[in-house]
Amino acid sequence: MTKRIEVLFSEEVIAETVGSLARAVAAPRPDDLLVVAILKGSFMFAADLLRALHREGLAPQVEFMMLSSYGAGTVSSGSVRIVRDIDTDVRGRQVLLVDDILESGRTLAFARALMAERGAASVKVAVLLDKPGKRQAACEADHVGFVCPDKFVVGYGMDAAHQWRQLPFVGVVVDDADKAA
Ligand code: IMP
Ligand code: MG
C-alpha cells in the first residue's frame, strides 16, 4: 500500500495568494493589529502571512491559541475546548484570527465569540482554505485564500493522523492500492 500526495495548491500559488491576503488585511491600515493563530494547523500559514504583513508595512503582535473541537462527524452539536489560551488582553484590540481551514465553522465561530466577549474592538478572520459545503455553524471568513474541494487535505501545516504537516504545499493523500482496486 503506497501512499503519495497529489498537489492541490503548490508552493508558488500559495506564496502569491498569501501576498494578496496580506495586501487585503493591510489595506484598511490597522494600527493595533493582534494576530491570533489557531494551533496547530495554522502555524505555517500564520508564519508566511506575518512575513507578508511585515512586507506591507504592518507590525502586528502575535499570539497563539490551541483549540480542540469535539464531536465533528459524530455529534452534531460538537463543542470546542481551549487547550492553550492566549496571554494577551484583547480589550480594545483589532484581532485577526488566523486558521488553516474553515470547515464546519465551529472552531472559528467559538474563537470569534470568545474574542468579542473579551472586549476586542474588532475581530476578523483569515483562513487559507474554505470548505463552504461543510458549514454547520454561522461563521464566514473575512479573508479566504482558496476555496477548497470537499476532500481531506494535508500539508502546509495540516495533518492526517499527525503526518504531513511539513509539506510546503497543500495536497491530497492518494492511496495507489485504492486506485487500482
Ligand atoms: P471546523 O471549521 O471547526 O470544522 O474546524 C476546522 C478545523 O478542522 C481546521 O482548523 C483543521 O484543523 C481541521 N480540518 C478540517 N478539514 C481538514 C482537512 O481536510 N485536513 C486537515 N485538517 C482539517
Ligand atoms: Mg485547525
Side-chain angles (χ1 to χ4, degrees):
M1 190 168 80
T2 355
K3 284 191 175 157
R4 65 190 169 80
I5 310 291
E6 233 167 55
V7 178
L8 195 57
F9 302 111
S10 70
E11 255 185 282
E12 293 74 20
V13 164
I14 292 172
E16 261 176 48
T17 297
V18 170
S20 312
L21 286 176
R23 283 190 288 281
V25 169
R29 305 314 301 170
D31 52 9
D32 183 29
L33 191 63
L34 174 65
V35 170
V36 177
I38 311 291
L39 297 175
K40 301 176 186 169
S42 74
F43 78 92
M44 208 176 276
F45 173 46
D48 283 344
L49 184 64
L50 283 160
R51 281 179 283 209
L53 289 173
H54 167 77
R55 288 193 284 271
E56 294 305 317
L58 297 192
Q61 285 183 19
V62 188
E63 268 288 1
F64 302 92
M65 173 173 258
M66 194 181 287
L67 297 176
S68 159
S69 55
Y70 282 107
T74 51
V75 183
S76 62
S77 65
S79 61
V80 179
R81 186 171 66 96
I82 301 173
V83 179
R84 183 211 186 276
D85 208 342
I86 56 174
D87 308 313
T88 303
D89 186 354
V90 300
R91 247 172 303 174
R93 305 294 306 273
Q94 295 164 287
V95 173
L96 178 69
L97 294 167
V98 174
D99 207 354
D100 52 358
I101 304 192
L102 176 59
E103 195 178 53
S104 75
R106 285 192 196 108
T107 307
L108 281 164
F110 174 89
R112 206 193 252 278
L114 186 70
M115 295 299 129
E117 193 183 293
R118 289 178 178 176
S122 67
V123 188
K124 291 203 168 162
V125 171
V127 292
L128 182 73
L129 306 176
D130 185 6
K131 288 185 186 173
K134 295 274 183 104
R135 209 75 86 245
Q136 307 257 348
C139 181
E140 295 307 323
D142 302 277
H143 304 281
V144 172
F146 304 94
V147 175
C148 184
D150 273 350
K151 290 179 175 173
F152 197 83
V153 297
V154 297
Y156 200 63
M158 293 170 280
D159 76 311
H162 309 293
Q163 278 203 299
W164 314 112
R165 290 195 198 273
Q166 83 287 355
L167 297 175
F169 53 84
V170 174
V172 180
V173 184
V174 179
D175 208 323
D176 284 326
D178 286 354
K179 271 206 160 169

